[in-house]
Amino acid sequence: MNEAIRLREQGTDEARLRLIELAEKNPRDAVIAYQTAWAHDSAGLEAEAAPFYEQALAGKGLSTEDRHGVFVGLGSTYRVLGRYDESLATLRRGLGEFPDDGVQRYRRAVEYYADHLDDVE
């Protein structure tokens, strides 16, 4: 797992392939699911990332920081995929779990996308 994370941080496709293998062998591991989602998302494969993000949220064992990251990643991925209602619901759910943090650090990006929803293909 550590090697796959290191490779993901380097942006290699090998990381994504290793993480897929790990996810198949450990379908209930939320940490592996999150790392696999992240690798797909970073590669521009949002449609493939979404199920792994969903699996990560359904599982247990994520750190607080990782769980927060799943909400932000999944909400953003849904937006990119044009699944706006699911994006909003996910971000609101995340805000419910993290009311003191929420998405404040992403405020500029969220406001930009809110103003440019019609520009999304």
Side-chain angles (χ1 to χ4, degrees):
M1 174 70 155
N2 290 334
E3 177 68 11
I5 292 171
R6 187 184 65 73
L7 291 169
R8 181 195 45 78
E9 289 171 347
Q10 293 176 358
T12 69
D13 197 49
E14 183 181 345
R16 191 178 60 79
L17 299 175
R18 283 192 189 183
L19 286 162
I20 289 170
E21 279 184 37
L22 285 171
E24 288 172 354
K25 291 177 183 174
N26 303 282
R28 296 174 190 217
D29 190 310
V31 174
I32 292 172
Y34 176 46
Q35 292 296 325
T36 307
W38 192 346
H40 281 84
D41 217 356
S42 297
L45 302 170
E46 288 86 359
E48 291 86 351
F52 289 108
Y53 279 128
E54 293 162 357
Q55 184 179 347
L57 273 184
K60 294 181 180 176
L62 289 173
S63 68
T64 301
E65 181 180 347
D66 284 352
R67 187 154 175 88
H68 180 271
V70 171
F71 280 115
V72 173
L74 182 57
S76 175
T77 294
Y78 281 153
R79 185 202 54 80
V80 169
L81 295 173
R83 296 165 62 177
Y84 304 118
D85 291 339
E86 291 168 284
S87 176
L88 185 58
T90 299
L91 293 172
R92 282 186 174 153
R93 184 175 163 203
L95 190 56
E97 282 194 35
F98 300 97
D100 295 329
D101 183 47
V103 294
Q104 294 304 316
R105 64 181 146 175
Y106 302 100
R107 182 183 179 125
R108 287 182 45 200
V110 170
E111 288 174 349
Y112 172 83
Y113 289 126
D115 290 339
H116 295 89
L117 283 176
D118 293 333
D119 299 346
V120 178
E121 295 177 25

